[in-house]
Amino acid sequence: SKTLVKRLMDFLKLKNLDISVRIRGYFVPVSHFKKPICGNRIMLTGDAAGFVDGFSGEGIRYAILSGKTAAQTTIKAFDSGDFSERIFRDYQEKCYSTFGRDLLCSEKILKHMKNNRDFMLETALLDAKSLTRYLQTITGDLSLCDFIQWLRERTPFLLTKKIIFGANVRRR
């Protein structure tokens, strides 16, 4: 993290910007539809709405999807002249139907992994195909829920592999 701070300071100096500000990091909120993301004349998108996969930290795809949905909803609001929470609730429902299931799956994974994190990750990483499929969820090529279902079907194989070969097996 010191390297990142130095790079930021170098960039600020290069652009003749104030470098006397205190740099602080913050957690990105992960809400998973537990709080409203819209109200009268307002819609939250991306990180502000908590659209972050708590397991992988990925959020850019959700920011793009929610931004696009917010833009479509805004056009409807202008066309109707209605900027009430009622019209913006459609935005919240569209976000949930588009990617809410994946974010909720991510939350479930985190809950299950909380006490068994090392075991679960080592088991999944023993198999290159599992890692490749998981990376497809980060790029949006595969739904996280579909990945979990695929992984469930392979769990006996992965656990057996872990028991027989242990965590020291190198992936190819």
Side-chain angles (χ1 to χ4, degrees):
S1 70
K2 288 181 182 181
T3 304
L4 291 176
V5 171
K6 183 181 178 331
R7 285 184 181 173
L8 175 61
M9 290 300 178
D10 290 346
F11 176 78
L12 293 175
K13 285 178 192 174
L14 181 68
K15 298 295 181 180
N16 296 317
L17 297 171
D18 182 13
I19 63 168
S20 65
V21 294
R22 181 174 170 228
I23 298 173
R24 294 175 275 181
Y26 294 94
F27 291 104
V28 175
V30 179
S31 70
H32 301 300
F33 299 95
K34 292 179 183 169
K35 297 178 182 178
I37 58 167
C38 62
N40 288 323
R41 305 183 68 82
I42 189 168
M43 291 177 283
L44 300 177
T45 63
D47 290 355
F51 294 155
V52 177
D53 180 330
F55 181 66
S56 70
E58 200 277 319
I60 293 172
R61 182 167 53 103
Y62 304 118
I64 292 169
L65 290 171
S66 63
K68 182 178 176 182
T69 304
Q72 293 166 343
T73 305
T74 301
I75 291 169
K76 286 181 186 175
F78 270 102
D79 288 347
S80 69
D82 182 1
F83 297 89
S84 68
E85 181 178 352
R86 182 189 61 75
I87 196 103
F88 290 144
R89 261 190 248 123
D90 289 341
Y91 159 73
Q92 184 166 322
E93 290 168 12
K94 265 192 179 169
C95 286
Y96 182 78
S97 67
T98 304
F99 53 83
R101 188 172 155 241
D102 281 349
L103 292 177
L104 293 172
C105 279
S106 171
E107 183 178 32
K108 286 180 184 178
I109 291 170
L110 284 176
K111 284 181 182 178
H112 291 301
M113 289 185 65
K114 187 176 180 183
N115 296 324
N116 301 306
R117 182 172 300 248
D118 291 341
F119 179 77
M120 295 290 285
L121 284 174
E122 288 172 0
T123 301
L125 295 179
L126 275 174
D127 184 61
K129 190 170 185 178
S130 297
L131 178 60
T132 301
R133 296 280 294 204
Y134 171 69
L135 292 174
Q136 289 175 326
T137 68
I138 294 175
T139 62
D141 294 327
L142 180 68
S143 139
L144 185 61
C145 292
D146 291 341
F147 169 71
I148 296 303
Q149 182 59 40
W150 177 85
L151 196 59
R152 260 190 215 136
E153 294 165 4
R154 292 182 52 85
T155 297
F157 166 75
L158 293 172
L159 290 174
T160 302
K161 193 172 182 179
K162 179 165 177 55
I163 290 167
I164 293 171
F165 298 111
N168 295 325
V169 175
R170 299 206 185 272
R171 294 180 308 278
R172 293 182 199 176

